[in-house]
Amino acid sequence: QVQLVESGGGSVQAGGSLRLSCEVSETIFRFNLGWYRQAPGKQRELVATKDRWGSPIYAESVKGRFTISRDNVKNTVNLQMNSLKPEDTAVYYCHAHEGAYDYWGQGTQVTVSS
C-alpha cells in the first residue's frame, strides 16, 4: 500500500513561512504529485502540482508565494509557503496520482494568524 506522510504544519503569524514535506513509501518517479488544502466547511482545493518532468502548476491564490518541489531520490515532495495569509489556514494534504489510482496523506494543519 502506498502511504504518504505529511509533516511541517503548525501555527504562524501572517507574513511568515512554513515548509511542508511529504514522504512517500514508494518510489515517486512514476507519480504526479501535488498538494491540496481544505478549510472547515469548504471544498478541498488544489494548491500546487508537479509532474516528473514539467513545470509546476499553482492555484492563482498562492502563485508567487508557494513553491512545490520534489526529490525523486528521497521520495519526497515539498511545499515551501512564504508570505502566508490567514486565508491560507487549512488542512494540507499530500496527493499522488498514478493512472487510475489516487493516494492521500493524513493531512497536516496550517494555521495563520493575523
Side-chain angles (χ1 to χ4, degrees):
Q1 182 180 4
V2 177
Q3 297 183 5
L4 287 68
V5 180
E6 303 100 331
S7 63
S11 298
V12 65
Q13 291 183 322
S17 298
L18 287 172
R19 182 176 176 86
L20 306 182
S21 182
C22 174
E23 298 181 358
V24 184
S25 63
E26 305 289 339
T27 178
I28 66 170
F29 184 79
R30 68 186 188 274
F31 289 119
N32 294 319
L33 299 171
W35 289 91
Y36 290 71
R37 67 187 181 187
Q38 186 169 21
K42 303 293 185 180
Q43 294 283 341
R44 188 171 298 185
E45 65 176 352
L46 173 70
V47 177
T49 63
K50 187 175 177 64
D51 64 22
R52 295 177 294 174
W53 314 108
S55 299
I57 298 174
Y58 298 97
E60 287 296 322
S61 60
V62 308
K63 190 173 295 183
R65 300 187 296 119
F66 291 11
T67 302
I68 187 172
S69 62
R70 58 189 290 166
D71 189 327
N72 291 332
V73 176
K74 297 181 179 180
N75 295 326
T76 60
V77 57
N78 304 303
L79 186 69
Q80 179 66 46
M81 305 185 294
N82 298 325
S83 302
L84 283 162
K85 304 175 180 179
E87 52 262 43
D88 295 319
T89 296
V91 177
Y92 284 70
Y93 296 91
C94 183
H95 173 256
H97 173 77
E98 178 193 26
Y101 300 95
D102 291 282
Y103 305 95
W104 295 92
Q106 81 286 352
T108 185
Q109 177 71 46
V110 172
T111 302
V112 184
S113 60
S114 300

